[in-house]
Amino acid sequence: MTVSHQESPAVKYSLLKSLLNKKVHERVRGGYRLCKRLTRNMGSVPIRIDSYPTLYVDLRSLDAHALKLFTEEPLPSVPHEPALTRVFNQIIRPTDVVFDVGANLGLHSLTFSRMAKKVIAFEPNPALVPNLRKTLDGVPNAELQACCLSDQDGSVDFHVSKWDHMLGSLADWSGQPADTINVPAFALDSLLEKGSIPTPQVLKVDVEGAEPLVFRGGEKLFSGPSAPRAIIFEELNRASRKLGLGDTEAADFLRERGYDLHLILDEGLVPLSDVRPPAANLLATRSVLRKK
């Protein structure tokens, strides 16, 4: 099969979807090279989601998550972590400022934009920032901070997988070949004191094991009278250990500052115990959850 550079984007999109749905890139000799050739100029592909602004993704690396969004679009809703979305619906109020720390493609940011007054997305990965910025340009109540949140201001080494450009972290933990780049970093307290960002009522923090560093950088915020009402965050032991951080350090930090901790499961919330999975989503709250 030959692919002409003169073919329209619509024709290439249709051909690529057909090949991907048949798993040609995985099962057929030469299929991967053919799909790579088709995606050569697909660095910013629109993904339509019903009643949401357009999401933009880069297909050139044939990342599984981006390909799934592409083959299934147009989508009836944001197809991302439904257990977390149920929790977002419980805790986010229309007057809230929500921080999406580790925004990645911006799927959660799109969800937050429907629930909250203001969304601030934080994403340091330069492979994701251009499309994330394009996505959020279509969201009137969202803005992008293209930086890393850490425990102090400065710059940090950031590792981006060569196999999956959506996998980026301060910890080089994935076992995949990675590019190491230097990115700007800021502490939450520093940005708040400068007036660069508003005070959040809710945070979602998913930064591949560096959650304790984000929280340390917000010591004044999390300990003060305007402490966020709720925080959804990830524990990823394999990654945090690469940074010399304890498995329960993020949860311990918040518990010591008056937060109640719950484990987020598909079937609902359960109080956090000392025994939990090595990779888990947690909820920290300062008050009784709002019921819907």
Side-chain angles (χ1 to χ4, degrees):
M1 179 184 295
T2 60
V3 180
S4 169
H5 293 292
Q6 304 303 315
E7 290 177 0
S8 71
V11 171
K12 286 188 177 182
Y13 286 4
S14 178
L15 175 58
L16 180 62
K17 280 191 178 185
S18 175
L19 294 174
L20 293 172
N21 283 324
K22 295 174 182 176
K23 304 292 184 183
V24 166
H25 63 304
E26 296 177 355
R27 302 189 312 197
V28 177
R29 183 183 179 92
Y32 182 84
R33 289 195 302 273
L34 174 59
C35 290
K36 283 287 285 185
R37 185 177 179 186
L38 279 169
T39 61
R40 186 177 299 168
N41 296 315
M42 295 187 186
S44 187
V45 173
I47 304 295
R48 294 167 293 163
I49 305 173
D50 185 40
S51 75
Y52 283 82
T54 303
L55 179 83
Y56 292 89
V57 300
D58 185 346
L59 299 183
R60 292 174 298 180
S61 297
L62 298 183
D63 298 332
H65 190 191
L67 293 183
K68 182 174 174 63
L69 290 170
F70 174 70
T71 55
E72 293 181 358
E73 83 89 43
L75 297 159
S77 61
V78 172
H80 195 47
E81 298 183 304
L84 290 186
T85 300
R86 286 194 292 272
V87 174
F88 299 152
N89 274 302
Q90 286 182 282
I91 62 175
I92 296 175
R93 301 171 183 169
T95 55
D96 283 344
V97 173
V98 178
F99 285 2
D100 187 359
V101 184
N104 204 267
L105 295 178
L107 284 165
H108 284 319
S109 293
L110 290 180
T111 297
F112 298 149
S113 73
R114 303 290 294 272
M115 302 176 176
K117 178 181 178 181
K118 181 74 174 179
V119 181
I120 312 292
F122 296 85
E123 179 54 58
N125 187 344
L128 299 176
V129 164
N131 276 329
L132 179 57
R133 190 181 303 280
K134 192 172 181 179
T135 294
L136 296 183
D137 280 347
V139 184
N141 63 334
E143 69 176 61
L144 173 63
Q145 294 281 338
C147 65
C148 177
L149 288 184
S150 190
D151 56 348
Q152 58 187 334
D153 293 357
S155 60
V156 292
D157 285 339
F158 192 80
H159 309 282
V160 180
S161 169
K162 292 178 182 288
W163 296 349
D164 181 350
H165 75 285
M166 286 183 280
L167 182 58
S169 176
L170 291 180
D172 188 8
W173 67 274
S174 69
Q176 301 177 8
D179 291 318
T180 301
I181 53 181
N182 202 250
V183 300
F186 297 95
L188 265 174
D189 285 341
S190 174
L191 292 175
L192 288 165
E193 288 168 5
K194 293 174 185 175
S196 302
I197 53 175
T199 301
Q201 287 72 54
V202 176
L203 293 91
K204 183 233 82 182
V205 185
D206 183 353
V207 290
E208 305 293 320
E211 285 78 3
L213 301 182
V214 175
F215 296 155
R216 286 183 204 167
E219 169 68 39
K220 292 181 181 178
L221 171 67
F222 295 111
S223 303
S226 298
R229 186 175 64 256
I231 304 139
I232 303 97
F233 66 101
E234 184 184 42
E235 284 185 341
L236 185 59
N237 295 349
R238 183 180 171 191
S240 58
R241 290 170 188 171
K242 284 283 187 178
L243 293 168
L245 302 170
D247 291 352
T248 65
E249 193 164 334
D252 292 342
F253 178 97
L254 294 173
R255 184 181 283 114
E256 290 166 3
R257 285 151 186 83
Y259 286 88
D260 296 323
L261 279 297
H262 287 79
L263 186 65
I264 302 172
L265 302 176
D266 288 342
E267 56 269 28
L269 298 172
V270 297
L272 187 66
S273 67
D274 291 337
V275 179
R276 62 236 201 205
N281 289 309
L282 278 62
L283 170 67
T285 57
R286 277 188 175 271
S287 60
V288 177
L289 291 180
R290 177 171 63 95
K291 300 296 183 182
K292 280 201 168 186

